[in-house]
Amino acid sequence: MENQGKTLPKKGARNILITSALPYVNNVPHLGNIVGSVLSADVFSRYNKARGRPTLYICGTDEFGTATETKALEEGVSPKELCDKYAKIHAEIYEWFDIGFDIFGRTSTKQQEEITQDIFRKLYKNGYTIQRTSRQPYCEKHKAFLADRYIEGTCPKCGYEDARGDQCDKCGSVDYVPLDLKNARCKIDPDVTPVARDTKHIHLLLDKLQPRIEEWVKKSSEEGGWSKNGRIITESWLKQGLRDRGITRDLRWGVPIPLDVFDNEEDKQVYKDKVFYVWFDACIGYVSITANYTEDWEKWWRDPENVQLYQFMGKDNVPFHTVIFPGCQMGTEDTWVKLHHLSTTEYLNYENGKFSKSRGVGVFGNNAKDTGVPADVWRYYLLKNRPETGDTQFEWKFFIEQNNGELLAKLGNFVNRVIKLVNSKIYNSVIPDYTKMHADPIFDKAKAEVNAHLKQYLEELEGVNLRAGIQSAMNIAQAGNNFLQANGFDNKLAANEPEKAAAVTGIAINLILLCASIFAPYLPATSKSILEQLQAPFLFIPDHWTADDIKPGHQIGKAKYLFTQIEPKKEEEWRAMFGGTQAERLKKEEEIAKAAAKKAAAKAKKAEKKAGKKEGGKENEATNVEASATGGAAPMEQGQEPVDAVTDGVQQVTLPSS
C-alpha cells in the first residue's frame, strides 16, 4: 500500500481526525440519517480543510452482525453478496450528496479482523474479560444457537404476535429476552420451536474499567465541548453503573475469535464457531478503515498529543463512542487517540410524523435526486434544520421557501447581479482599478459588518455549531446585497461616479470570493461554480477579510445562475410522492412505467403504419419513438431491481443487553 498523496498528520499543526457513525449496510439511509452523521461530518471536514489544517474524514459501511445475516436470508443471498450490494448503494447516495470522504470503506476487511483481534488479545491478557454461561434459544433442526433476530413470537408485554427476539415493533419494548416470547418460532423455519440451551460467551468487564472511563469522560467532555445530549446520555450510563457485557455471539458472519488466547482445548472448541458481537467491533471499523487508507494509520490513531478526534452521530450511538470504545482503548494499555469532541443530533422528523423504516414514509437518500433539485439545495435545507438541540421537522413548504427566499434571493441574487454587471460593456469582464477609493471611509461600515459576521462564522464552526454557522454565512451574502443597495450599484453609478463604482465593484467581487470560501463546507458545488465564474483559485477561509484578494485587471468568466425557482405547487406533488408506503410507491412507479411503455408502443405502431404509407417514414418513426421515450418513464429492464425495493430505512443501533 502506497502513501503517495495520502493525508497524514504534521508535527506542530492542528491535525483533525473526523468520523461519522458507520451506517449499517443492509438498508438505505433517509434524510435524518444523512444529516445526523455523514453530512454534518462532511461540513466540518471541508471547513477544516478550508482553514488549511491536515484533516482526515473516515466513514464506511458497518457490515457484520445478525441483521446482515437475517437480511441475507430474506433475500436469498450470502452475507457477503448482500454487503456488496448495499455498500454500492450507500456509496452512490453519498456521492450524489457530494459527501467528501477521504475514504468510504467497509468493516468486512482483513484489517478489521487483525486490529479487532489484536485489541481483544490485549483486553484478554490484561484481565478485562470473563467467560459466562447463559441460556439461549437453540434450533435443533439447524443445530445452531439462534441470535435474537432469528426468533419471532408473541410479545410478552402487549401480545403482538410477530414480535422479534430483540424488540416488539408494536409496543417498542426491548425489556425482555428471546426466551420470554410466547409461541416462539425460528425465523428461518417457522415450524421449528426453539429450545433453551446453555452457551458460553466472553464478556467485557466494563465495571472494572468504569473509574478510568469516568475520569476520562469528565476531562474530554469539558475540553472537547461535547454536545449536551451526548453528555447526558453518557452520564446516565455511568450513574447507573456499568456491568460486564457479552462481546461474542453464535454467528458465522463476523470477526472470528482468535483461539490462540486460550490455554485449553475445551475453550478452543467452544469458541471456534463464534464471532465478535457487532457492537464490540463496530467502532474499531474507524481504525481499520484508516488502515485501509494508509499503512501509516498509527500516525492518526497513536499520537494523542498531535491529533484531535471529532465524531459525529445520532444520539442512539452515543454509548458506543463515549463508554465502550474508549473503555476498550484503555483496556489495551496502548497509546490511543481518543474522542475529543462529540457531535450528536436529535431526530429529524418528516411532515409532523416520523421517517418510517418499515413503511418507507419520507425521503430516502436514493429518492432525493428524483425531485430534480440539486444536492446543494438539499444540503442547505438539512443543515439549516439540523436537529442540534431538539427534534426538527422536514417540511416541503419550508424546503421550497428556503430555496426561493434564501439561496436564490440572497446568495444567488448577490453573485449574479455583480458578475453580470462586470460582464457588461461597462467593464467587459475585467475588474476595474478599484484602488483609488477602496480605502475610503464610506466603505468602512460595510467592511466591518462583513468581518463581524465572519468572526461569528468562525466561532460557530470551531464550536461545531453547524446550523448557526450556515446562518452566519448567509448573513454575509445578505450584507453583500445591502452593500450594493446602499451604494446604488448599477449602470448609472458607473456612468456618473466611475471611481466609486470601481471601488464598489472591487469590494463586491472580493466579497463573492469570500462567499465561495465560507459556503464551500456547506454548498461545495455552488462554491465551485462561483470560482469558475470568477476564474479565481480557492481562498482559504481567513481570520480577517481585506477585500482585495482579486486584483484590478483580473478577467472573470461568464455569469451563470446558481439556483432556480421552485414552483410552490411542487409542495403537494412531492408530499403525495413521498407520503405513502414503499409498497404503494413501487406500485405507483410500476403503473407509470407500464402506462408509459403502452403509450410508447402505441405511438411506435402508429408511426410504423405511417411509414408504410409515406416515404421517409423511418425518419418520422424515429422522431415519434424518441418523443415518446423522453415524454414518459421508460419501462424497467428485465431483472433490474429498483433501489426503492430495498429501502427499509437505516436502523439506528441500540445497544442490546446481554
Side-chain angles (χ1 to χ4, degrees), residues 540-577:
F540 282 113
I541 299 173
D543 291 322
H544 183 81
W545 178 63
T546 55
D548 60 358
D549 291 285
I550 294 179
K551 306 299 182 185
H554 174 79
Q555 184 161 356
I556 67 168
K558 295 298 180 185
K560 295 177 183 176
Y561 290 114
L562 295 176
F563 308 101
T564 56
Q565 184 92 5
I566 298 176
E567 293 296 326
K569 65 182 181 181
K570 283 288 186 181
E571 178 186 344
E572 290 305 321
E573 179 185 325
W574 287 333
R575 185 177 289 116
M577 183 185 298

Side-chain angles (χ1 to χ4, degrees), residues 174-366:
V174 295
D175 189 23
Y176 61 80
V177 295
L179 292 171
D180 290 338
L181 292 174
K182 300 170 186 176
N183 305 315
R185 58 190 179 274
C186 174
K187 183 179 177 71
I188 307 167
D189 190 338
D191 294 329
V192 176
T193 301
V195 298
R197 281 198 183 180
D198 288 344
T199 181
K200 187 185 282 189
H201 284 289
I202 298 170
H203 285 226
L204 177 65
L205 294 172
L206 286 170
D207 49 342
K208 191 174 178 180
L209 288 159
Q210 178 157 354
R212 294 172 65 183
I213 294 172
E214 284 184 320
E215 182 182 356
W216 168 80
V217 165
K218 187 176 187 303
K219 184 173 184 288
S220 179
S221 61
E222 290 175 359
E223 291 180 355
W226 293 10
S227 298
K228 183 179 178 181
N229 56 358
R231 292 198 309 271
I232 291 171
I233 292 168
T234 304
E235 288 165 5
S236 174
W237 263 59
L238 294 172
K239 187 176 180 180
Q240 290 174 15
L242 302 181
R243 57 188 176 84
D244 60 89
R245 287 183 173 269
I247 60 172
T248 60
R249 274 294 182 262
D250 295 292
L251 295 171
R252 294 180 179 84
W253 181 243
V255 175
I257 315 303
L259 303 180
D260 55 19
V261 301
F262 304 114
D263 294 327
N264 62 71
E265 195 60 35
E266 182 184 344
D267 282 341
K268 291 181 180 179
Q269 286 300 310
V270 167
Y271 291 103
K272 66 182 177 63
D273 294 322
K274 298 180 193 284
V275 299
F276 287 110
Y277 205 169
V278 66
W279 70 256
F280 172 71
D281 79 299
C283 287
I284 298 172
Y286 301 129
V287 184
S288 73
I289 291 170
T290 309
N292 273 278
Y293 171 77
T294 172
E295 62 187 9
D296 289 329
W297 63 270
E298 290 183 309
K299 291 183 178 180
W300 279 110
W301 285 99
R302 301 285 199 188
D303 190 3
E305 298 301 316
N306 285 290
V307 176
Q308 289 183 323
L309 173 60
Y310 287 74
Q311 299 195 285
F312 292 78
M313 70 208 69
K315 62 183 179 182
D316 288 2
N317 283 315
V318 167
F320 295 94
H321 298 77
T322 63
V323 175
I324 295 166
F325 184 52
C328 291
Q329 289 177 307
M330 294 171 197
T332 64
E333 307 299 346
D334 288 335
T335 300
W336 284 98
V337 169
K338 299 186 191 74
L339 172 65
H340 170 67
H341 177 86
L342 175 72
S343 180
T344 53
T345 54
E346 299 288 335
Y347 295 125
L348 175 71
N349 295 318
Y350 179 78
E351 291 279 334
N352 297 311
K354 289 188 176 181
F355 288 87
S356 171
K357 298 178 176 70
S358 58
R359 294 182 294 112
V361 173
V363 183
F364 287 78
N366 56 299

Side-chain angles (χ1 to χ4, degrees), residues 489-545:
F489 182 74
D490 57 18
N491 296 351
K492 290 180 182 178
L493 182 68
N496 299 329
E497 299 180 72
E499 289 185 359
K500 181 180 179 182
V504 172
T505 300
I507 292 169
I509 279 290
N510 277 286
L511 185 51
I512 290 172
L513 180 63
L514 178 66
C515 283
S517 298
I518 61 173
F519 276 102
Y522 294 98
L523 313 175
T526 301
S527 173
K528 183 180 178 184
S529 177
I530 292 172
L531 293 175
E532 287 172 353
Q533 293 177 57
L534 293 177
Q535 292 189 355
F538 182 79
L539 172 72
F540 282 113
I541 299 173
D543 291 322
H544 183 81
W545 178 63

Side-chain angles (χ1 to χ4, degrees), residues 466-480:
L466 306 184
R467 192 170 66 188
I470 200 169
Q471 184 58 55
S472 294
M474 190 57 76
N475 289 342
I476 291 175
Q478 185 55 37

Side-chain angles (χ1 to χ4, degrees), residues 86-102:
Y86 280 92
K88 185 172 182 290
I89 291 171
H90 276 272
E92 288 171 352
I93 289 170
Y94 302 138
E95 182 179 2
W96 187 83
F97 274 95
D98 216 348
I99 307 296
F101 306 113
D102 289 291

